[in-house]
Amino acid sequence: MSILQILAPFDGWCGTLDEVPDPVFAGRMLGDGLAIDPTSGILVAPCAGEIVTLPASAHAVSIRTARGVDVLVHVGIDTVQLGGRGFEARVRPGASVRAGDELIRFDLDVVARGAKSLMTPIVVTPMDGLSLRQLRAPGLVSAGEVLFEIAGVATAAGIATAASFETGTPPPRAANPPNEEAAAAQTLIVTLRHGLHARPAALLAQRAKAFGAQASLSAHGRTANARSVVAIMALGVRRGDELSIQASGADAAQSVASLVAGIQEALRMESAAGHDAAPDSSRTASDSSKTASTIAPRPSPAAGVLGGVTAVPGIAVGRATRIERREIAVTEHGAGRDQERAELERARVNVRMRLERMAATGGATRREIIAAHLEFLDDPQVNEAAHELIAAGKSAGFAWRAAIRRSIGALQALEDSRLRERIDDLLDVESHVLLALAGEARPMNIPLPERAVLVADDLLPSELTALDRQRLVAICLSGGGATSHVAILAAAMDIPMLVGLGAGIREIAGGATLIVDADAGTLQTAPTATAVEQARAAVESRLRRRAKTLAEAQIECRALDGTRVEVFANLGNVTDAAAAVANGAEGCGLLRTEFLFIDRETAPAESEQLAAYQGIATALGQRPLILRLMDVGGDKPLRYLPLPAEENPALGLRGVRTALAHPDLMRTQLRAALRVHPSDNVRLLIPMITDAAEILAVRSVIDEIKAEFGIHHRIELGAMIETPAAALMASGLVRAVDFLSIGSNDLTQYTLAMDRGHPELAGRTDALHPAVLKLVAAAAGAGAAAGKMVAVCGGVAADRLAVPILLGLGVRELSVVPAAVPAIKRQIRSLRINDCRELALRCLDLASPGEVRAQAAEMIGLLGDTR
Ligand code: PEP
Ligand code: MG
């Protein structure tokens, strides 16, 4: 009797194989063991032995111990399809390793996004003649702790067979020599997308075991025992390879036929799982151009399963819930032109106030969507059409609805699906106004039962925000688009969402238990109890992982080599500030104060500004608050500050130029900023700088206010690097300030001469253009030479591919949207500044943003989290 101890290959949450959402592992087809939901990306050997398989994709590894027991660690489920993205092998097949030796590194974030689950089975395969003693109860486990023990001696045949096949020798004979006559063979081309990886190998081994015949598989001049999953995987059969299946023994022909059928079954499973679909990252609401209307929903993979398009990834289990949408009745004929016009105006004013209030209490995403709704509310075409109808004798309600529907008709005729997705926004604004006309308001709180999966044909943004978030676990729409505003809101609220599920969802009974796998794009309408259990386990494991990332986000952030990098958040209001603190932001790197100034009739008074800034400073606690002076003008006009008509507003009076042209406005803002308590936490940032004189002009007003208030300490002042001029002159500018903050959004726009809001140029206004990077390098170099902090607060700071490049160029503070803080901190912790420097230097000499992105992707995928 021998005992073999299997150790945890990484830190994580230990569970059972039943929690693995894959029947091959959960059904113990590969063997017995345990599973761990990893919380670290370093996989160490669970026992000593020889590396038998470690495919190029590096998502799994198996070790054969001296006693011939094979132990397989398969990182996550469906990770083979990542094709190695996010994984790096640290040993080669054939290497001898000791327990605890590092075998694979993987990027938890990349793998989590691309995998069906991160639950990692650790199994002894096969278990023939062995018994397992579980030593770990479910719970947190650290790498190197004993998970379970294997007792017993494997059968000579089992072990010898697996070992000999690795060396390419033919399979040993069974105890009863098979009938030499009874032999069968067949050769085929493997068309499985990922070749014979773990799942098909397990299926084949299961089938081979069902027959007495000795079956083997051959490819690349090597032969494997068809009963050994590890041996099959070790053949390294890829898509397009030739595979021979042979068997000898009484039921040889049946065995070969069954193995051929096994490969076909694996093919069916592959297409049912949608493995030919794009990776998950291209199907999220934020970055996908796919919508339910532009790509056909996947066909229903099986009875009781509907295929849809992922709008927001995630998994949820809950009960089908529908909400009632009331038709708002309108009378056709009006009570006279003046009265109806006045009614419409009153309703629009009420709606505007309401929307502005909602914007002030929501996060940045909600604010942006409401800004779009306000645009529709004031849209001249809609309003003119409504007024014409009123003049023709119609009621305000009838006219407003007809005017909106006319615009919807125009959108419906468009090819551009993203524009068609705006129809929901128009409908939303329509109903806001109709309700206001009727003297009602949209319900702010729509009650839901526990664990509600909302099932509907469509959903309006305002309906979503009115739903009880605590009870809503997923959204499933028969139509809809993955880039619609409601999908963007759902993403911000982190609610898994499928769109384009088709009319089938109308059949779902209210209260039915549903499994929404928005990662895989499927909705299970009649799941088995086991499937429900597995899905619940997957949900739990995600929650645990997220909790861990969030917990880590509260800790100071350093790169792998110890270099300190600060991660701040960009804020617009006090709600954002609370979210930033909860997400581990170390301060506010950019407070966009202009939100306080725009969309109103008069400028905010000093006291109003002070209250807003103080609220944010208080929410931030002792963390620094970088308050940017109002960046108005250009794309952010003010109604109460008529600016001259400009041919090119983006090149006109904006940022600091507007402030200097209206010194009273600037002085009021600076007074409010300097009254914030504690004032030494407040730093000021000047937008749109082009020369040092602008900085000195602002500084002199600050000095005057300081003298008036009796402030003696230095108020730190920063310059935004948003123009090529500022970047090129950074070494001079930096002498006049305490820090630099790179506004990559404008810097990109002005460097590439491409409007940052131009829909047709959206794909080309890329901050990773080498020309922009050269300017970032100039600013970062100037800051470093002067020993002053250089931050990036533009959108590129939250771009995973940009982070190593920015750090490599010398940036030491990133300011991102609050929700991105944990992931950015986690990524920084996996990077080594020297690697980043090498990458950044290479990127400066590349020819296009595409090439830069490819280099960065390679570094993140292959080197990220490394060494
Ligand atoms: C920028 O230009 O990158 C920036 C942060 O400023 P804004 O996006 O507010 O113009
Ligand atoms: Mg800017």
Side-chain angles (χ1 to χ4, degrees), residues 532-726:
V532 169
E533 275 316 301
Q534 284 172 356
R536 284 204 178 117
V539 174
E540 285 301 315
S541 109
R542 268 173 201 244
L543 288 176
R544 282 196 301 269
R545 203 166 46 247
R546 189 166 301 177
K548 175 145 197 296
T549 307
L550 208 56
E552 282 172 359
Q554 310 302 325
I555 305 166
E556 178 181 280
C557 180
R558 289 183 184 276
L560 213 51
D561 51 40
T563 307
R564 177 83 170 95
V565 181
E566 292 174 337
V567 183
F568 281 37
N570 293 348
L571 308 180
N573 60 21
V574 73
T575 316
D576 291 349
V581 170
N583 280 310
E586 300 174 58
C588 165
L590 169 66
L591 174 62
R592 287 187 164 101
T593 59
E594 51 275 10
F595 286 125
L596 212 57
F597 290 79
I598 53 182
D599 281 332
R600 53 189 292 156
E601 302 307 322
T602 54
E606 186 179 318
S607 57
E608 183 185 345
Q609 291 189 50
L610 173 60
Y613 306 152
Q614 186 63 61
I616 292 166
T618 306
L620 286 173
Q622 284 310 308
R623 298 168 187 82
L625 163 60
I626 299 181
L627 188 150
R628 178 173 74 179
L629 302 189
M630 52 172 182
D631 183 12
V632 294
D635 58 343
K636 300 159 191 161
L638 302 181
R639 281 200 279 279
Y640 50 88
L641 192 72
L643 295 165
E646 294 173 323
E647 205 164 317
N648 285 311
L651 305 180
L653 265 188
R654 58 163 301 192
V656 69
R657 302 171 200 169
T658 316
L660 293 174
H662 296 273
D664 291 350
L665 220 53
M666 176 172 72
R667 184 175 289 273
T668 308
Q669 179 169 39
L670 287 172
R671 287 175 64 89
L674 294 186
R675 284 174 64 195
V676 174
H677 185 78
S679 62
D680 43 4
N681 281 350
V682 178
R683 304 173 195 168
L684 300 173
L685 181 59
I686 319 176
M688 290 300 296
I689 288 292
T690 49
D691 62 39
E694 292 161 332
I695 301 169
L696 299 179
V698 176
R699 172 91 73 192
S700 78
V701 182
I702 294 172
D703 288 343
E704 282 169 29
I705 300 170
K706 273 177 65 181
E708 185 189 333
F709 289 175
I711 298 175
H712 299 297
H713 64 268
R714 185 175 178 82
I715 299 290
E716 287 196 24
L717 188 61
M720 282 202 79
I721 304 294
E722 294 174 286
T723 63

Side-chain angles (χ1 to χ4, degrees), residues 189-250:
I189 300 293
V190 174
T191 55
L192 286 157
R193 184 168 159 79
H194 302 294
L196 291 185
H197 62 95
R199 187 194 306 244
L203 275 172
L204 294 182
Q206 280 287 109
R207 282 173 176 263
K209 284 179 197 161
F211 296 91
Q214 288 293 330
S216 59
L217 308 179
S218 311
H220 307 302
R222 282 177 286 151
T223 302
N225 181 349
R227 296 180 185 191
S228 163
V229 180
V230 173
I232 296 174
M233 290 196 295
L235 283 176
V237 174
R238 296 177 180 207
R239 184 180 210 169
D241 286 352
E242 194 178 86
L243 177 76
S244 300
I245 304 174
Q246 51 275 315
S248 57

